[in-house]
Amino acid sequence: MTKAPRSTRRTQLWISLGMMLLLLLCITSSTFATFYTDFLWFKSLDYTQIFTTRVATSALLALIAAVIAVVFLLLNWSVIPHLIAPKESFTAKPAMFTGQARSVNNAPPVTYSTRPLRVFFTVIAVIAGVIIGLTFGGQWRAFLLANYGVPFEVADPIFHRDIGFYIFTLPWLEALLSRAKVLVALTFIGVIGRYAIFGQMKSRATTAHMSVLGALWLALIGLGWLLNRYGLLQSSTGVVFGAGYTDIHARMPLYVIQAVLFFTGAAILILNTFVRRWKLLLIIGISWLAVSALGPGYPAVIQQFTVEPNEFMLEKPYIEHNIRYTRYAYGLDNIKEQTYPATGTLKAGDLETNRDILSNVRLWDYRPLLRTYSQLQEIRLYYSFNEVDVDRYTIDGQLRQVMLAARELNVEELADQAKTWINQHLIFTHGYGLTLNYVNEVSREGLPNLIVRDIPPVSQAAELHIERPQIYFGELTSNYVVINAKEDEFDYPQGDSNVYTRYTGPDGVALGSFLRRALLATRFGSTQLLLSPALNRNSRILFHRTIQDRAQTIAPMLWFDEDPYPVIAETADGVTGIVWLLDAYTWTDHFPYSEPVGGVNYLRNSVKAAVDAYTGEITFYLIDPSDPIAATYARIFPDLFQPGEAMPQVLRDHWRYPETLFLYQSRLYATYHMRDPQVFYNREDLWDIPQELVETAQQAMEPYYVIMRVPESDRLEFVLIRPYVPKQKQNMVAWLYADCDGDDYGSVGIVKLPKDRLVYGPLQIEARADQDPLISQQLSLWNQRGSRVLRGNLLVIPLNDTFIYIEPLYLEAESGQLPELKRIIVAYDDRVAMAPTLDETLFQVVNGTASLEGPGDAGSVPKPEGDLETLAAQAWEHYQAAQACLETGDWTCYGREQAALEEILRAMVGETE
């Protein structure tokens, strides 16, 4: 067998070394490690198509752009100059290239070969082209939207183009134009440098070459001015957002004139390659300078002398455009308008008739309740409740509103000596269960009556039983964990010992080979992933574990709500566990004439995501296929969405109209309920969000969920609601609601109140409560005893064509974090009362008297007799009897017993005097 030549062996050695260095570079490169491990993660979730579509599109765009850029630069820097002016050498002063400071005036010129400079320009062309290509790869989303965009079937009022042009096509055209301008500018600079170095600037061929490049540059600028016309439809300089009179009649003609000047200049430069016409080019340049200098003043003159003297008449059509397109972009045009007489009355019998509503009034504010949960149910220092959510469940055939929070494991709360790598990533891997209470139930101590509590979870309702309470994926699970290691995982504490478990779900990327472990170690900056003996090739790493991060990584084009909420539901494998529901929004900031809020001027809740807290399985459901943006994403990523109807009914029953979307809509509707352009222009009927006192501070009233019957419906529904007051006033004028249940999900309505009748607003009710002598005295007393009174959310509850206002009061020690619900304030009509329970307070305000005499029994209570001990015993008996009447809903009985109790208390006061 003949030996390979030494040169061949040397070549093979160098190739092997090069491959090893390349492999080492990949392993140690965090960018490559992240890219590859993300691919493995997408593959583990069966979302490979999402990953490959994005990567392939980005790579293809980068490759095409790089090839075009490199070819264009080489063509202009090397090929064309060599063809039109071939030159193998050039002469120059020695100092030009040596950088010597001595005088070279008398030094003879030196002849240099052009080959090194040609190689230099070639290398720079390749590098610059690759850089341009790589940056252009980031435009994958704009490219896909432009190619797969679904039309809105709604045209803009100026150019009569479909709205999809502005959202899908225009951003792509602007991206192409900006990169083209960069490429031509870079090319032009390089061409000038090359010809200057080679001493060829005076050549006619050189002039022709630069003229063509200059013409291309001017043409691109002209195209930019034409595209800028479409941007005027998002102008913020007028009386409303969008193009106004001055934009259409002054700025837009100037843009066209600018474009014509640049196109003319480009044509003259092309002509200049054949016939010298420098005077024409000079005229164009002077004209452009004149337009640039005087142009900004022309719109100002039109605005001041034409528009302002007759602003409304000239701006009226553009105000109408703004109203129409803003209402469409935020779904305000689908809001159903209704009236509410606010003339109804409440009697004791009405309270029983509406027992299903009143028994679901939320007495617990999420802020103090979160602190109470933390004190009572975190159990161990490493458990945390991130936030409290509001939901509803059907319990024993009745719809009950609940508040709940998931008990997650927060490794940051481990004791310092316990914060080892094994503890943080192999042993303490998951949270456990949740805590849940009915919104209206309070213990004797003023604490929530917990329906689901403790570890393992104990439930008082069969419908809330949790078979698999482990939470591997949640809101606080920001660290990676490794399962199937040699170490068992901590499951939950049990007395003085712990219970351990092993993850049996499908999620995770297998550590596999040494190379894969090395890449994972590089990504997470952990040598233990590579070297720990506790791991093996079958161990799997779980990452992207927080709900928002998990969803955002898969679908970065969607905007995800900040408030995922847990649901007790049967999972895909038939086990009752915890599933997170997360709302997602499609959005844009390119919608013509639509008022922007927070950088967004189109918003739809078209997608909901469900994430299994144990398995990590995530499914995206398209609940509004009529949304063109969502439909476009469905065309781009056909494997991403499931139809909304495919979501299990047990999860559909827990859909909530998202607060984020409702906040946007309620803020905008305060202005855009005015559809008459003149009323809108004058701001004659501007609404505002009412203020309320929460805990110890005043703030804008938050939307809140209630169970109620919306107007013109007899069905009990879970509804999101928010009142309105007139601008700079406090009386209530309307309330906005969004339906969360059944076929009516997503229906939004506005209920307007009569303008000839005063309906108290939230802050007025707060003031009335503070002015009540008994309430004010009690609050002052509590605030002086080392404690503070916290006000909960003031709820405005529509009931029987009138309103009741309900506000819980909590007492919290200054040195403690365990708020207790002590009193309920209720206001109705011109009455306000405070009592320990909601039923007592309702009875007081409905009957209009603190004596609580039963209907028809006034004055029939016998006068009590006896000493103080006897009277105290009688008072206790009547109190217990009243509570029994209250539990059965017998208001007549309750009033009679309360009246008797009052008489006894009066007699006891008389005995002490």
Side-chain angles (χ1 to χ4, degrees):
M1 182 175 180
T2 59
K3 293 184 178 181
R6 181 176 298 177
S7 59
T8 303
R9 293 200 305 272
R10 187 182 296 112
T11 301
Q12 292 174 346
L13 176 63
W14 281 111
I15 292 175
S16 299
L17 288 174
M19 294 293 290
M20 292 176 63
L21 288 173
L22 181 62
L23 181 62
L24 182 62
L25 179 64
C26 290
I27 292 174
T28 57
S29 168
S30 60
T31 301
F32 178 80
T34 300
F35 171 82
Y36 180 70
T37 53
D38 267 345
F39 167 74
L40 297 176
W41 182 80
F42 273 86
K43 185 178 180 181
S44 71
L45 293 173
D46 291 330
Y47 281 121
T48 309
Q49 186 263 338
I50 314 300
F51 183 86
T52 55
T53 297
R54 286 157 45 184
V55 171
T57 304
S58 180
L60 183 62
L61 286 177
L63 177 62
I64 293 174
V67 169
I68 292 175
V70 169
V71 169
F72 189 79
L73 289 170
L74 288 176
L75 188 67
N76 285 277
W77 286 358
S78 297
V79 177
I80 293 178
H82 185 72
L83 290 176
I84 63 177
K87 199 169 187 181
E88 296 300 326
S89 62
F90 66 98
T91 58
K93 297 287 186 178
M96 179 180 296
F97 296 101
T98 62
Q100 298 173 4
R102 61 182 176 85
S103 175
V104 293
N105 291 332
N106 299 321
V110 179
T111 300
Y112 296 95
S113 171
T114 61
R115 181 177 177 80
L117 281 174
R118 290 204 307 271
V119 172
F120 170 79
F121 276 104
T122 300
V123 171
I124 295 299
V126 172
I127 294 174
V130 169
I131 293 174
I132 291 174
L134 291 175
T135 59
F136 195 66
Q139 298 297 321
W140 64 268
R141 189 180 307 176
F143 171 78
L144 291 173
L145 289 175
N147 282 272
Y148 292 92
V150 174
F152 277 70
E153 305 297 343
V154 175
D156 79 85
I158 305 301
F159 299 102
H160 308 291
R161 285 184 171 272
D162 187 89
I163 298 299
F165 168 79
Y166 298 90
I167 296 174
F168 304 134
T169 307
L170 186 58
W172 173 243
L173 295 178
E174 291 173 341
L176 286 174
L177 182 63
S178 66
R179 297 309 191 281
K181 289 164 70 174
V182 168
L183 178 59
V184 173
L186 182 63
T187 303
F188 192 77
I189 292 171
V191 166
I192 291 177
R194 188 188 192 284
Y195 286 138
I197 292 173
F198 289 177
Q200 297 174 318
M201 290 295 292
K202 297 180 180 181
S203 166
R204 184 178 182 86
T206 299
T207 302
H209 185 193
M210 291 191 295
S211 295
V212 171
L213 288 175
L216 184 57
W217 169 254
L218 294 179
L220 291 175
I221 295 178
L223 285 174
W225 282 109
L226 291 182
L227 289 183
N228 287 345
R229 295 177 305 152
Y230 300 114
L232 287 175
L233 272 61
Q234 298 180 68
S235 170
S236 58
T237 59
V239 66
V240 292
F241 186 82
Y245 182 90
T246 301
D247 294 313
I248 300 300
H249 295 87
R251 291 189 176 90
M252 191 173 293
L254 281 175
Y255 288 0
V256 174
I257 291 172
Q258 295 258 39
V260 170
L261 286 174
F262 279 106
F263 288 144
T264 304
I268 292 174
L269 279 176
I270 294 295
L271 180 64
N272 189 55
T273 62
F274 305 102
V275 181
R276 298 294 180 93
R277 291 293 185 270
W278 293 111
K279 290 184 178 179
L280 292 176
L281 194 60
L282 183 63
I283 293 172
I284 293 299
I286 293 173
S287 301
W288 174 75
L289 289 174
V291 171
S292 299
L294 301 177
Y298 176 63
V301 171
I302 294 296
Q303 180 68 28
Q304 183 174 355
F305 295 103
T306 302
V307 176
E308 291 183 5
N310 193 24
E311 188 173 55
F312 172 70
M313 292 306 298
L314 294 179
E315 297 284 6
K316 179 181 177 181
Y318 309 108
I319 295 174
E320 291 174 337
H321 299 332
N322 175 262
I323 294 173
R324 176 191 170 194
Y325 287 91
T326 298
R327 287 173 62 89
Y328 174 85
Y330 292 96
L332 306 182
D333 55 341
N334 294 323
I335 293 179
K336 180 182 179 181
E337 294 190 1
Q338 300 162 284
T339 57
Y340 193 74
T343 56
T345 58
L346 286 176
K347 299 179 181 179
D350 296 324
L351 299 180
E352 183 57 32
T353 302
N354 292 284
R355 171 59 52 187
D356 50 1
I357 294 176
L358 297 175
S359 64
N360 281 296
V361 170
R362 180 167 59 84
L363 301 181
W364 288 101
D365 185 280
Y366 65 89
R367 284 163 284 247
L369 184 60
L370 179 60
R371 297 198 291 274
T372 301
Y373 276 2
S374 298
Q375 291 294 317
L376 299 180
Q377 283 291 300
E378 284 188 351
I379 311 296
R380 292 289 189 273
L381 58 87
Y382 39 76
Y383 286 125
S384 294
F385 294 105
N386 186 57
E387 61 183 349
V388 176
D389 292 296
V390 180
D391 202 355
R392 74 288 194 194
Y393 288 81
T394 300
I395 309 295
D396 293 331
Q398 295 185 347
L399 189 63
R400 299 297 302 270
Q401 188 173 187
V402 304
M403 303 182 80
L404 70 165
R407 184 185 295 104
E408 300 193 53
L409 193 143
N410 186 354
V411 294
E412 296 300 322
E413 297 298 327
L414 288 170
D416 289 340
Q417 65 271 21
K419 289 182 179 178
T420 64
W421 182 83
I422 288 181
N423 277 342
Q424 290 180 305
H425 299 287
L426 271 63
I427 295 179
F428 290 93
T429 57
H430 58 274
Y432 206 87
L434 53 76
T435 296
L436 180 148
N437 66 284
Y438 293 138
V439 296
N440 67 313
E441 293 190 3
V442 186
S443 70
R444 290 186 179 275
E445 297 81 14
L447 300 174
N449 181 20
L450 301 178
I451 307 303
V452 180
R453 60 183 299 161
D454 298 340
I455 299 176
V458 177
S459 174
Q460 296 180 18
E463 294 88 344
L464 301 175
H465 176 66
I466 305 174
E467 298 177 78
R468 191 167 62 193
Q470 291 87 354
I471 301 174
Y472 283 84
F473 303 88
E475 296 180 270
L476 300 177
T477 49
S478 56
N479 65 320
Y480 71 88
V481 297
V482 183
I483 50 95
N484 288 351
K486 292 182 180 180
E487 302 284 346
D488 288 337
E489 304 168 47
F490 166 77
D491 200 23
Y492 61 88
Q494 189 176 61
D496 294 332
S497 61
N498 295 326
V499 176
Y500 292 86
T501 187
R502 281 186 170 271
Y503 179 75
T504 59
D507 192 70
V509 174
L511 296 188
S513 64
F514 177 84
L515 177 59
R516 182 181 288 189
R517 289 179 66 171
L519 290 170
L520 288 166
T522 300
R523 174 183 182 138
F524 294 105
S526 172
T527 55
Q528 289 90 338
L529 279 175
L530 182 64
L531 303 175
S532 174
L535 307 180
N536 57 68
R537 65 181 298 107
N538 295 320
S539 300
R540 283 178 283 148
I541 182 169
L542 278 58
F543 56 101
H544 290 311
R545 293 200 301 141
T546 59
I547 305 302
Q548 291 96 330
D549 176 49
R550 198 169 186 83
Q552 195 78 58
T553 302
I554 296 172
M557 62 283 184
L558 299 176
W559 172 23
F560 289 93
D561 199 280
E562 296 181 356
D563 183 25
Y565 56 99
V567 175
I568 301 173
E570 183 176 317
T571 59
D573 51 1
V575 178
T576 301
I578 298 172
V579 177
W580 295 92
L581 289 184
L582 176 64
D583 288 289
Y585 309 99
T586 55
W587 62 279
T588 184
D589 56 357
H590 286 81
F591 203 98
Y593 276 104
S594 176
E595 184 72 24
V597 177
V600 172
N601 67 355
Y602 175 92
L603 195 63
R604 289 286 190 277
N605 174 221
S606 299
V607 177
K608 289 184 183 291
V611 183
D612 190 310
Y614 183 80
T615 66
E617 179 184 1
I618 179 170
T619 307
F620 297 88
Y621 296 94
L622 182 59
I623 65 170
D624 184 10
S626 65
D627 172 24
I629 297 181
T632 298
Y633 290 141
R635 291 181 64 186
I636 296 172
F637 305 108
D639 296 340
L640 178 59
F641 300 117
Q642 298 292 325
E645 298 77 14
M647 179 181 281
Q649 188 61 45
V650 67
L651 295 179
R652 289 173 60 88
D653 289 341
H654 292 275
W655 283 6
R656 300 188 318 189
Y657 196 88
E659 285 190 53
T660 299
L661 176 60
F662 195 73
L663 284 167
Y664 274 82
Q665 291 177 320
S666 59
R667 174 179 172 180
L668 285 158
Y669 199 78
T671 301
Y672 285 89
H673 71 276
M674 298 180 289
R675 284 177 287 181
D676 182 281
Q678 187 158 10
V679 174
F680 185 96
Y681 174 77
N682 293 323
R683 297 296 198 265
E684 297 176 22
D685 192 21
L686 194 62
W687 295 348
D688 202 357
I689 304 301
Q691 298 287 304
E692 65 170 339
L693 295 176
V694 176
E695 296 202 340
T696 59
Q698 182 173 309
Q699 66 173 42
M701 194 170 190
E702 299 174 345
Y704 53 92
Y705 293 100
V706 295
I707 289 179
M708 58 173 285
R709 295 179 183 87
V710 300
E712 303 177 8
S713 174
D714 295 328
R715 188 160 59 92
L716 203 63
E717 296 178 291
F718 189 60
V719 175
L720 185 61
I721 188 173
R722 197 181 204 187
Y724 285 114
V725 296
K727 187 70 173 179
Q728 298 181 342
K729 295 186 181 296
Q730 296 179 4
N731 60 291
M732 193 162 61
V733 293
W735 48 281
L736 187 71
Y737 71 88
D739 202 322
C740 302
D741 283 336
D743 295 335
D744 294 330
Y745 174 83
S747 299
V748 183
I750 184 70
V751 181
K752 296 183 178 180
L753 305 179
K755 294 186 177 181
D756 59 350
R757 181 179 176 84
L758 172 64
V759 179
Y760 290 116
L763 208 57
Q764 291 174 322
I765 295 297
E766 302 271 17
R768 289 181 57 203
D770 288 338
Q771 293 163 8
D772 183 275
L774 295 177
I775 296 175
S776 177
Q777 182 181 12
Q778 184 65 70
L779 297 183
S780 299
L781 182 64
W782 278 335
N783 279 319
Q784 293 174 1
R785 294 185 174 181
S787 59
R788 60 174 183 157
V789 177
L790 305 177
R791 294 178 184 255
N793 285 122
L794 176 67
L795 305 181
V796 182
I797 310 293
L799 198 70
N800 275 33
D801 287 337
T802 186
F803 293 97
I804 56 172
Y805 306 80
I806 301 174
E807 181 180 50
L809 297 180
Y810 312 93
L811 193 62
E812 183 179 58
E814 291 181 355
S815 58
Q817 289 289 316
L818 189 62
E820 298 176 359
L821 179 58
K822 288 299 184 184
R823 293 291 186 272
I824 312 294
I825 294 177
V826 175
Y828 158 66
D829 199 17
D830 59 350
R831 310 163 196 168
V832 60
M834 182 177 73
T837 69
L838 177 60
D839 286 334
E840 292 176 76
T841 320
L842 285 170
F843 190 86
Q844 290 184 32
V845 296
V846 168
N847 284 272
T849 172
S851 65
L852 299 175
E853 296 173 343
D857 293 326
S860 63
V861 179
K863 184 176 181 179
E865 297 179 352
D867 56 17
L868 282 175
E869 185 176 351
T870 302
L871 292 174
Q874 293 175 5
W876 176 245
E877 290 175 1
H878 282 289
Y879 173 76
Q880 287 183 311
Q883 293 302 113
C885 297
L886 199 59
E887 291 177 0
T888 61
D890 189 340
W891 295 101
T892 302
C893 168
Y894 179 76
R896 182 170 57 249
E897 296 297 334
Q898 286 288 336
L901 177 60
E902 181 184 8
E903 289 301 322
I904 294 171
L905 294 175
R906 290 180 187 276
M908 293 175 70
V909 173
E911 286 287 332
T912 60
E913 293 178 350

